Amino acid sequence: MKKIALLLFAVFFIGPIKAQTINGVNIDALIAKMSVEEKAGQMTQIDLGVIAVGDICNLKNPQQLDKDKLKRALNDYKVGSILNVGCGSGTIAVENWRSIITGIHAANTSYKNVIPVLYGVDAIHGANYSMGATLFPQQIGQAATWNPALTEQLNAVTAYETRASGIPWNFSPVLDLGRQPLWSRFFETYGEDVVLASSMAKAAINGMQGKDVNSSTNVAACMKHFLGYSFPLSGRDRTPAWISDRELREYFLPTFKTAIDAGAKTIMINSGEINGTPVHANYDILTTLLRNELGFKGVAVTDWEDIYKLVNVHHVAATKKEAVKMAIMAGIDMSMTPNDYEYTDCLITLIKEGSIPISRIDASVRRILTLKTELGLFNTTIYPSTQYTKFGSKENSDLSYRIAGESITLLKNDRNVLPLNNAGQKILVCGPAAQSLNLLNGAWTHTWQGVDDRFNTKGKLTIYEALKQSMPKNTLEYAKGASLDSLVDISECIKKAKTADNIIVCLGEKPCTEIPGNINDLTISSAQQQLVNALLELKKPVILVCCFNRPQIIHSISKNVDAIVYGYLPGDEGGRAISDVINGKINPSGKLPFTYPSAVNAFVHYDHKSSEELDIDFSNNAYRPEFDFGYGLSYSTFVYSDFSVSNDTLLKNDSLVVSVLVKNTSGIQGAEAVQLYYHDQVASITPSVKKLLAFKKITLQAGELQRVEFIVRATDLSFINKTLQRVTEPGMFDLLLANFKSSFYVD
Ligand code: BGC
């Protein structure tokens, strides 16, 4: 009787016990009906290679579903997620994607599975696995624009073009901080600074997921790779990182926290180890920090084969079964297994024998089903009525061109050799990157490593082609001179150079990522150095164009060339954008999102500690990068004046206003990223000499004057202290903007 009374009380006064219903799907009711096999299937992700015709790494081209393999995946294993394009294969035409995705959906329904399959893909700089999609500059170039609004726009386009292929999940953005220039994935980061990278992270999530991730034009984002992946001590991918908890929180956590707060739906885990523990087996990082502290509610997916790697690479588990238990108990929701079903078999056994509590499994399945409902997978047809007429459109490639144009960073321009806008001149264009779309795009371009030029987007121009087209009043000539690693017809190149008025040398780096991109020496190849040096001997203006995966050391040539145009990996419109910076149609406004090292053993960041400036003669000159973080020239000149700070004291919950006037004193329109830095004079953790506090990119017409204001709150000056708390300590601080400096007290 008492029980009935209690129940009635609950129904009338508290309301019915709430079931989790999203977009009309009652997730708890679904979970209650699922078998152990179905739950394990939902936590499994396989590669397209496992269900396609052909051998796993030698698929029939174009990729095509194999009925029997599909039956095994969806009927026998109830697989919940599939990814990418198949090991060793490349980009897929949109119509082909459509038949793959619809084929999976139809098979899934025919096996009476009520839960739809979630397809995920690496759309890293545009929908790079969909033929003819718009390819944007890689993330490092996006950061160099210092214009997060552009990052938001390009992610919206990437989402749209990914959905056009029926794919609702993108393994992007990379939120690892680029503080190790040797690392093969440096170009995939938003650079070395927490503030700049965090603002790009937020923009990327907003652009990709939009207001409603369940729309036909948005996709779920995946923050990569949690946590500390980008800072291996050796610089080689997936090798040990030694990072204290304090540094993890100070440098590597904020981008992820920002993205989680922006509503990012999924996260991928760091393949490597930190302080001796592989992250895939680290409960402290995957549960205590990610779930309990940061409150992340989305799906945590492993990186490629990483549960097996706990056995065969990291040696922390003796068997795959032990590894599965370790990873799931640490906090993994879904395993990118991705080439077999051993993981799934182990998981089923572990659940059935009670080694993993069903409550732990249900928590993961709930997150996966929540994502699927949020994405609208249960109640929409895979292909909504949207026609995707903007896929690969001119509008989208214009955006790519604009972003490439804003990213390109003019690092040197002696005697204003650039722009080359005199008619009637002879210009020689040479070097390995002059006639290559692959070297402009880098890895994750049509294929994983981006080295196969069979798939290149039709109609895109190389640097030489774009220069030739855009400078009809000049004579443009081409000679390769050198490949990436050897001289090629150098005598022909020198012969043409002798009669040229200007020489443009386009240097590059082989597209690569992850372990295939590991290098031992950051120095530009000797063939490319030799080419530049041979051309320098002619005593003609030499303009260097650099398209690198990471800042290759160019110290031996940088001081002798007349101009340096740093292109990063500018994507399919990079040829046009670089060419228009050279001919002056684009006024450069990119600024380095990293400190450019001048020597292979001198990786010091701009926000270094004072002790890192002490030179061998005890002067303060040891910090000598090739180019500083935030550096970049323009064809305009900007004059800063009237710098002011509203108060000389800042109270804990208060803010102050920093203001400065910026004038474009040149005769052409230009854009400037105004950068505000601060320095904590005394702190319990050694303070950096300076740290970026805020930035604003403004565009000024010729002669225009604009006031730029920044609001500074005490919390903006915080850091992680010894007890891992984020604090702002009272004391004196300096604000630094251009050549101005002002001090104030934080109470
Ligand atoms: C990479 C991830 C990528 C995944 C799927 C891994 O090897 O580290 O960044 O998303 O493969 O392709």
Side-chain angles (χ1 to χ4, degrees):
M1 190 59 202
K2 248 188 189 168
K3 270 188 197 156
I4 296 175
L6 262 177
L7 203 68
L8 285 175
F9 175 82
V11 172
F12 288 113
F13 296 97
I14 309 174
I17 293 146
K18 232 178 147 192
Q20 199 184 359
T21 303
I22 300 171
N23 290 340
V25 180
N26 183 333
I27 291 173
D28 288 322
L30 258 183
I31 294 176
K33 281 192 227 142
M34 287 169 77
S35 64
V36 166
E37 286 76 8
E38 282 173 312
K39 290 178 182 178
Q42 285 306 308
M43 294 171 70
T44 304
Q45 183 180 61
I46 55 168
D47 182 50
L48 178 64
V50 180
I51 54 164
V53 177
D55 290 337
I56 212 161
C57 282
N58 186 20
L59 298 178
K60 184 172 173 214
N61 203 295
Q63 297 89 326
Q64 203 182 306
L65 295 174
D66 179 311
K67 260 190 164 176
D68 295 336
K69 292 181 187 170
L70 200 55
K71 181 164 185 245
R72 185 145 194 254
L74 300 179
N75 186 54
D76 305 355
Y77 278 100
K78 311 284 176 202
V79 162
S81 184
I82 302 173
L83 86 149
N84 275 358
V85 291
C87 161
S89 3
T91 187
I92 297 178
V94 173
E95 316 76 68
N96 201 21
W97 267 125
R98 287 177 172 240
S99 67
I100 290 171
I101 303 287
T102 353
I104 292 169
H105 185 63
N108 197 45
T109 319
S110 78
Y111 299 125
K112 311 253 177 306
N113 294 335
V114 288
I115 302 167
V117 173
L118 172 59
Y119 211 103
V121 78
D122 288 295
I124 303 297
H125 64 125
N128 41 247
Y129 282 143
S130 293
M131 240 176 243
T134 310
L135 295 185
F136 293 97
Q138 299 272 4
Q139 277 188 209
I140 195 71
Q142 296 169 31
T145 65
W146 291 63
N147 189 347
L150 292 178
T151 293
E152 183 168 338
Q153 286 174 42
L154 83 86
N155 275 285
V157 170
T158 301
Y160 174 100
E161 296 198 356
T162 302
R163 273 275 188 173
S165 295
I167 301 171
W169 187 16
N170 183 9
F171 307 128
S172 176
V174 167
L175 300 184
D176 307 305
L177 220 54
R179 291 179 79 84
Q180 166 49 289
L182 269 174
W183 188 45
S184 61
R185 306 190 74 170
F186 188 84
F187 67 94
E188 294 183 53
T189 73
Y190 290 126
E192 80 185 35
D193 180 68
V194 171
V195 169
L196 179 59
S198 297
S199 65
M200 292 290 164
K202 185 172 172 190
I205 303 301
N206 288 342
M208 211 181 302
Q209 296 192 165
K211 285 201 177 68
D212 179 11
V213 78
N214 174 22
S215 87
S216 56
T217 51
N218 294 113
V219 297
C222 185
M223 307 169 275
K224 300 197 305 195
H225 306 77
F226 196 70
L227 180 67
Y229 177 45
S230 56
F231 205 56
L233 184 64
S234 71
R236 297 205 305 281
D237 189 47
R238 289 167 160 91
T239 59
W242 303 94
I243 314 174
S244 72
D245 285 351
R246 204 200 70 78
E247 280 181 296
L248 266 180
R249 284 163 182 272
E250 184 75 66
Y251 298 103
F252 301 100
L253 192 59
T255 45
F256 288 95
K257 180 171 172 10
T258 305
I260 291 170
D261 292 346
K265 298 283 175 204
T266 74
I267 197 160
M268 192 183 290
I269 308 308
N270 168 8
S271 259
E273 62 169 80
I274 304 178
N275 307 334
T277 303
V279 183
H280 281 79
N282 193 326
Y283 181 87
D284 295 341
I285 289 184
L286 300 187
T287 299
T288 314
L289 176 60
L290 180 64
R291 303 290 180 188
N292 305 347
E293 189 180 323
L294 298 180
F296 178 62
K297 301 217 165 20
V299 171
V301 62
T302 72
D303 203 338
W304 190 271
E305 260 178 7
D306 269 307
I307 295 187
Y308 296 167
K309 286 184 192 146
L310 294 177
V311 184
N312 53 36
V313 175
H314 298 297
H315 306 287
V316 292
T319 61
K320 287 190 177 160
K321 189 175 158 201
E322 200 183 322
V324 173
K325 183 175 173 189
M326 221 176 234
I328 301 297
M329 292 313 289
I332 293 297
D333 294 320
M334 183 188 283
S335 156
M336 187 187 287
T337 306
N339 287 334
D340 61 36
Y341 301 101
E342 260 190 277
Y343 152 83
T344 324
D345 288 332
C346 291
L347 186 56
I348 293 168
T349 311
L350 285 160
I351 304 171
K352 286 192 171 164
E353 69 186 26
S355 303
I356 298 182
I358 199 69
S359 56
R360 169 66 200 86
I361 296 299
D362 286 352
S364 286
V365 173
R366 189 170 291 110
R367 287 182 201 123
I368 293 164
L369 297 191
T370 302
L371 175 65
K372 291 186 176 187
T373 49
E374 286 175 339
L375 284 166
L377 299 187
F378 280 89
N379 45 10
T380 53
T381 49
I382 295 291
Y383 288 106
S385 54
T386 311
Q387 290 302 312
Y388 299 102
T389 47
K390 288 188 186 165
F391 178 91
S393 63
K394 175 157 184 325
E395 182 182 329
N396 292 350
S397 60
D398 283 351
L399 178 66
S400 178
Y401 166 80
R402 176 165 174 218
I403 297 170
E406 276 209 31
S407 72
I408 291 161
T409 307
L410 183 62
L411 293 175
K412 187 174 183 187
N413 194 16
D414 282 0
R415 300 177 313 283
N416 292 332
V417 59
L418 290 177
L420 299 182
N421 45 15
N422 287 338
Q425 293 212 324
K426 187 173 162 196
I427 299 165
L428 173 68
V429 188
C430 57
Q435 275 282 53
S436 166
L437 280 181
N438 292 57
L439 297 197
L440 296 180
N441 276 296
W444 302 111
T445 302
H446 314 301
T447 60
W448 175 39
Q449 294 295 319
V451 280
D452 193 335
D453 56 15
R454 284 174 307 159
F455 303 113
N456 284 346
T457 322
K458 302 267 169 313
K460 301 299 172 188
L461 302 182
T462 62
I463 300 172
Y464 169 65
E465 288 163 352
L467 279 164
K468 203 168 159 65
Q469 204 177 82
S470 66
M471 301 180 78
K473 294 189 176 139
N474 294 277
T475 309
L476 272 290
E477 282 208 318
Y478 168 73
K480 190 160 188 172
S483 65
L484 290 171
D485 45 26
S486 54
L487 291 173
V488 177
D489 295 334
I490 183 76
S491 48
E492 189 211 341
C493 184
I494 299 295
K495 197 170 140 206
K496 286 185 176 167
K498 279 185 180 153
T499 57
D501 298 297
N502 289 288
I503 302 163
I504 300 172
V505 199
C506 306
L507 306 182
E509 183 179 356
K510 185 177 172 214
C512 55
T513 186
E514 303 186 44
I515 290 173
N518 285 350
I519 51 171
N520 295 322
D521 186 351
L522 198 57
T523 315
I524 182 85
S525 72
S526 74
Q528 297 193 72
Q529 285 183 58
Q530 281 175 52
L531 171 66
V532 176
N533 284 329
L535 294 166
L536 281 168
E537 277 177 22
L538 304 177
K539 306 277 178 246
K540 310 226 169 182
V542 173
I543 295 139
L544 220 59
V545 174
C546 303
C547 295
F548 299 152
N549 306 346
R550 47 205 143 191
Q552 299 232 329
I553 305 298
I554 50 171
H555 193 65
S556 68
I557 47 180
S558 68
K559 51 186 183 303
N560 300 323
V561 297
D562 298 272
I564 303 176
V565 176
Y566 200 80
Y568 310 89
L569 294 173
D572 263 349
E573 302 305 326
R576 284 172 61 219
I578 287 172
S579 145
D580 286 349
V581 165
I582 290 173
N583 67 35
K585 227 182 263 168
I586 292 176
N587 186 357
S589 65
K591 306 264 183 196
L592 285 177
F594 54 82
T595 311
Y596 204 117
S598 56
V600 285
N601 286 323
F603 299 160
V604 184
H605 303 109
Y606 88 93
D607 54 352
H608 54 270
K609 308 295 179 78
S610 213
S611 55
E612 291 173 273
E613 299 200 335
L614 277 186
D615 216 341
I616 46 175
D617 59 358
F618 298 104
S619 62
N620 274 339
N621 290 321
Y623 176 62
R624 285 192 218 170
E626 192 71 50
F627 301 104
D628 214 342
F629 171 83
Y631 180 75
L633 301 167
S634 164
Y635 297 146
S636 297
T637 38
F638 299 101
V639 174
Y640 287 72
S641 64
D642 199 26
F643 175 72
S644 69
V645 181
S646 61
N647 298 322
D648 54 14
T649 304
L650 176 59
L651 300 176
K652 230 185 189 159
N653 296 317
D654 214 349
S655 58
L656 49 76
V657 181
V658 179
S659 159
V660 73
L661 280 176
V662 187
K663 183 167 187 184
N664 176 358
T665 54
S666 73
I668 54 167
Q669 177 188 300
E672 171 80 336
V674 181
Q675 304 163 37
L676 176 66
Y677 293 86
Y678 75 100
H679 166 60
D680 191 345
Q681 289 189 6
V682 177
S684 61
I685 295 289
T686 53
S688 298
V689 293
K690 65 173 191 174
K691 270 183 166 236
L692 186 67
L693 183 58
F695 64 91
K696 265 186 198 159
K697 185 140 184 197
I698 54 168
T699 299
L700 296 173
Q701 301 306 318
E704 192 186 338
L705 180 72
Q706 239 186 69
R707 180 167 293 285
V708 177
E709 284 189 348
F710 296 101
I711 311 276
V712 178
R713 294 157 306 167
T715 47
D716 298 333
L717 309 164
S718 64
F719 64 92
I720 306 294
N721 72 6
K722 269 178 229 157
T723 57
L724 304 184
Q725 303 306 308
R726 182 162 279 286
V727 291
T728 304
E729 291 178 346
M732 289 303 290
F733 286 78
D734 303 320
L735 286 171
L736 311 154
L737 195 154
N739 292 325
F740 297 107
K741 179 173 171 181
S742 176
S743 305
F744 65 101
Y745 186 74
V746 173
D747 207 356

